[in-house]
Amino acid sequence: MKKSNFKSPPSILNSQGKERKVGYEFEFTGISMELASEIIQSIYGGEIQQESTYAYSVNHTSFGSFRLELDAQLLRDKKYEEIFEKIGIDISSFKKRESLEDSLKEMASSVVPFEIITPPIQLSRMSELNKLVDELRVHKAKGTGSSFIYAFGLHLNPEVPDISVDSILSHLRAYMLLAHWIRKDSKINISRQITPYINEYEEDYIIHILNPDYKPNLNQLIEDYFKFDNSRNRPLDMLPLFMFLKKDLTSSLIKDKITSSRPTYHYRLPNCSLEDESWSLSQEWNRWVLVEKLASDQKSLHQYSRAYLKMKRKTLIRFDNKWVKLMDRWMRYVWE
């Protein structure tokens, strides 16, 4: 997919009739959180606040509050203190505690990314984030392709257009049908493919979801998600949305307690290729728009679901290649 403008999804309004918003999460290294905070402030205004050695925020910008943190829970939540305490070392008594934390941050940042978490941004203003990408690139921020070990991602958090179970199921189905094509078109980096962070849905769950007779209520949809051993480490992570809609049920089933609650799809698949001049946010957003377009087209959604199930039964060899070609034809028809 060539570099282009941000395309509009079928629904630009949420269920309250207001313009939908999207949050972005950029994973990168190569520059400090201090400098990244200053870049954000220089573009969008606001006030920089250092919350800890591992976390900053830029508040009161033209969009709201940006958050910056080292994407390592052990350091961010200072769980290393518990580890030291277990072996009889009291970190609070260290005279040079800040130096210790700086050293830990420096070591971790060689393999663990920093992360910029944007506030929710209106669809009509997403292009303003191009300024941030350009400035990070100017200052030599390192993205997914800068090293074999950089499994860095770009996460999109598009606000759901509709919280009904039918709409949610349609988006799940649409993503599953497009997953092979998206991975090939976006050239997901090998360093990310071999990590567990974006494990694709298991085939038995895909078949279960695409079955035209599958018509769950919300509780069943959530329970089935866990029944098939899904976690936050899916390219389309449904846990934040499930937590928002059914907190008690989801909390009783979830293993990963760091999941937040928000009315968004958590799309984790894209690379964050800041080092690549040809890479852009719009490319990644537009691939997600394809998911929403297919989800909104019930005739095509059912047609391709049936085709997937039929081809999967008959074609075991080179199924992925054949399916990608089929979805590529649909994609080109949609964009024309």
Side-chain angles (χ1 to χ4, degrees), residues 33 51-56 67-84 91 97-114 258:
M33 281 191 287
E51 299 175 1
S52 71
T53 305
Y54 313 109
Y56 283 70
R67 182 169 176 81
L68 300 92
E69 57 190 36
L70 184 65
D71 190 19
Q73 190 182 12
L74 178 68
L75 299 180
R76 192 171 62 243
D77 298 342
K78 298 194 175 183
K79 291 184 178 180
Y80 59 85
E81 294 179 352
E82 299 174 8
I83 298 174
F84 280 112
I91 295 296
R97 176 171 175 161
E98 290 185 359
S99 297
L100 171 64
E101 291 188 344
D102 286 338
S103 297
L104 289 170
K105 181 175 73 171
E106 184 176 353
M107 287 187 292
S109 64
S110 63
V111 291
V112 177
F114 294 127
I258 67 173

Side-chain angles (χ1 to χ4, degrees), residues 36-58:
S37 299
E38 291 169 0
I39 290 172
I40 292 170
Q41 184 186 51
S42 70
I43 301 171
Y44 309 113
E47 302 169 0
I48 298 173
Q49 178 182 357
Q50 182 174 359
E51 299 175 1
S52 71
T53 305
Y54 313 109
Y56 283 70
S57 61
V58 186

Side-chain angles (χ1 to χ4, degrees), residues 94-332:
F94 275 41
K95 293 182 179 179
K96 296 184 178 180
R97 176 171 175 161
E98 290 185 359
S99 297
L100 171 64
E101 291 188 344
D102 286 338
S103 297
L104 289 170
K105 181 175 73 171
E106 184 176 353
M107 287 187 292
S109 64
S110 63
V111 291
V112 177
F114 294 127
E115 187 172 30
I116 293 175
I117 304 168
T118 77
I121 294 170
Q122 293 93 334
L123 294 180
S124 59
R125 298 186 64 188
M126 283 192 299
S127 61
E128 295 179 46
L129 285 177
N130 288 333
K131 299 174 185 177
L132 176 57
V133 172
D134 291 342
E135 284 302 308
L136 290 172
R137 190 171 284 153
V138 166
H139 286 83
K140 307 300 182 184
K142 297 178 181 179
T144 316
S146 297
S147 170
F148 176 77
I149 63 173
Y150 289 169
F152 300 167
L154 172 76
H155 298 190
L156 282 66
N157 294 278
E159 182 180 11
V160 296
D162 185 342
I163 61 173
S164 70
V165 66
D166 288 342
S167 176
I168 295 168
L169 179 58
S170 291
H171 282 79
L172 256 176
R173 285 171 165 165
Y175 172 75
M176 291 173 179
L177 293 171
L178 284 164
H180 292 297
W181 180 87
I182 291 175
R183 281 183 179 255
K184 181 176 181 180
D185 190 68
S186 56
K187 298 179 176 63
I188 299 301
N189 191 279
I190 185 63
S191 63
R192 303 193 68 233
Q193 292 187 46
I194 62 177
T195 64
Y197 307 131
I198 53 170
N199 286 341
E200 205 52 81
Y201 289 111
E202 297 293 337
E203 196 62 38
D204 57 349
Y205 183 61
I206 296 174
I207 292 172
H208 180 74
I209 286 289
L210 294 184
N211 187 326
D213 294 327
Y214 183 60
K215 299 177 182 179
N217 59 28
L218 184 56
N219 281 7
Q220 183 182 352
L221 181 66
I222 294 172
E223 290 169 355
D224 285 350
Y225 192 83
F226 289 97
K227 177 182 177 182
F228 284 86
D229 202 28
N230 291 309
S231 69
R232 68 192 299 264
N233 292 332
R234 291 290 182 267
L236 180 55
D237 168 24
M238 302 297 293
L239 299 189
L241 178 58
F242 289 161
M243 283 287 285
F244 176 81
L245 295 173
K246 290 282 186 176
K247 183 177 180 180
D248 290 343
L249 174 60
T250 305
S251 296
S252 69
L253 298 169
I254 199 169
K255 296 178 182 178
D256 193 336
K257 301 304 179 183
I258 67 173
T259 294
S260 60
S261 167
R262 53 185 184 269
T264 71
Y265 295 111
H266 186 197
Y267 177 51
R268 301 163 50 94
L269 183 62
N271 296 328
C272 189
S273 301
L274 294 171
E275 78 292 340
D276 183 354
E277 293 283 348
S278 67
W279 179 85
S280 70
L281 286 181
S282 62
Q283 293 171 335
E284 308 301 350
W285 167 254
N286 292 344
R287 292 188 185 98
W288 170 255
V289 170
L290 284 170
V291 174
E292 295 206 10
K293 280 183 173 291
L294 183 54
S296 68
D297 182 353
Q298 289 298 303
K299 182 178 179 180
S300 293
L301 188 63
H302 291 309
Q303 175 186 347
Y304 284 104
S305 293
R306 291 193 296 270
Y308 183 99
L309 295 174
K310 183 177 180 180
M311 285 180 63
K312 197 67 180 179
R313 286 194 298 269
K314 293 185 175 182
T315 310
L316 297 178
I317 300 175
R318 301 181 65 82
F319 168 81
D320 289 359
N321 290 340
K322 292 182 179 180
W323 185 256
V324 165
K325 290 180 181 178
L326 180 62
M327 297 312 296
D328 190 61
R329 290 199 295 270
W330 174 84
M331 183 278 298
R332 295 182 187 282

